[in-house]
Amino acid sequence: MANWVTFGRFLLLFLLLGIVYSGVPTLQLVNAPLTILIIALDGVDGWVARRFNEETLFGATFDIAIDRIVETVLWVVLAQLGFIGVWVPLLFIIRGNLVDAIRSKGAASGTAAFDMMQSPIGRFLVAGRFMRGFYAVLKAVTFAWILLWQPFPVLAPDFWTAWGGVLSGVGLALAWASAAICVARGLPVIVEFCMNARPSVAAQRG
C-alpha cells in the first residue's frame, strides 16, 4: 500500500506538469495546492509503511527515487520557465547523482540509505526526522510559492506590476535556501563515504 501511495505521487507530478504548461491561467491556480499535496504524500507513504509494517529496503529506495524525480523535474521546470537560474537544478542534479551513487553501494549490501549515516551530524542532517521534515517543507513552500504566482501576470496584471518583483524575490530567496540545505545534507554522505573507503583502499594498495 505504501508503494502505491509513492507511485501515486509520480502520477500526480505529470498532472501538475500538464497544468503548468497548459497555458490556462485559471487552471494554474491549482498549481500550489497540487504541489503541496504531491510533497505531503511523501510523509503519508512513510506513515503507511510503518503503520502496516511494510517497511522494506525496496520501499525506502523507491521512495527516495520518486523524491528525486519529483524534486529534479520541478527544479528544471522552474528554471525552464525563467523563475530561477539554471544553476539551481544543476546543483540538485549533481548532488543527487553523487549521493545516489554512494547510497547504491549501501543498497547493494542491504543497508537502507539513512542507515548509512554514522556520525552524529550526519544522522541529524541526513537521517534525522526534523531535518528531513524541514527540508521537505522548505522545498514544498518554495515550489508552491513560485508556481502560485504563475497565472497572476494574466489574471491580475496591476497587482503583479506592483508586487511581482517582491514576490519573485521571495521565491528566489526560498530557492537559494533550499539549495543551501541541499548541499548541507549532501556533504555528510560524501564525507563519510570517503572516510570509510580509506582503510579498504589503503589495504588494497598494501
Side-chain angles (χ1 to χ4, degrees):
M1 187 180 299
N3 291 336
W4 281 110
V5 175
T6 303
F7 184 65
R9 297 175 58 222
F10 182 67
L11 297 180
L12 287 174
L13 172 64
F14 286 94
L15 175 61
L16 175 62
L17 294 180
I19 294 172
V20 168
Y21 286 104
S22 68
V24 183
T26 52
L27 184 59
Q28 291 169 344
L29 290 173
V30 306
N31 283 350
L34 183 54
T35 299
I36 293 173
L37 174 63
I38 292 171
I39 297 180
L41 285 175
D42 182 34
V44 174
D45 58 13
W47 178 85
V48 170
R50 292 188 296 272
R51 175 66 176 79
F52 295 97
N53 196 28
E54 296 178 352
E55 293 178 288
T56 63
L57 179 59
F58 171 81
T61 304
F62 184 46
D63 180 51
I64 290 174
I66 297 301
D67 286 347
R68 189 77 71 238
I69 290 172
V70 170
E71 176 182 315
T72 302
V73 167
L74 289 179
W75 286 126
V76 170
V77 167
L78 294 183
Q80 191 274 327
L81 292 174
F83 295 125
I84 59 175
V86 71
W87 68 269
V88 178
L90 288 177
L91 173 67
F92 278 89
I93 290 170
I94 292 170
R95 181 267 197 188
N97 285 336
L98 284 173
V99 170
D100 288 347
I102 292 171
R103 285 173 171 170
S104 67
K105 299 293 185 181
S109 62
T111 304
F114 297 128
D115 294 336
M116 294 177 63
M117 305 311 301
Q118 301 298 319
S119 68
I121 189 170
R123 288 194 295 270
F124 172 73
L125 288 174
V126 182
R129 288 188 176 181
F130 170 78
M131 282 304 299
R132 289 165 62 186
F134 175 76
Y135 186 45
V137 169
L138 178 60
K139 288 185 293 184
V141 171
T142 302
F143 294 140
W145 177 269
I146 295 175
L147 290 175
L148 170 66
W149 305 111
Q150 184 189 14
F152 276 74
V154 176
L155 294 179
D158 294 338
F159 171 82
W160 187 254
T161 299
W163 295 98
V166 174
L167 299 174
S168 297
V170 172
L172 284 176
L174 290 170
W176 294 340
S178 298
I181 299 297
C182 170
V183 173
R185 296 187 73 240
L187 282 177
V189 179
I190 298 170
V191 170
E192 288 195 26
F193 174 76
C194 293
M195 292 180 64
N196 292 334
R198 283 181 180 177
S200 60
V201 172
Q204 289 177 3
R205 291 179 178 176

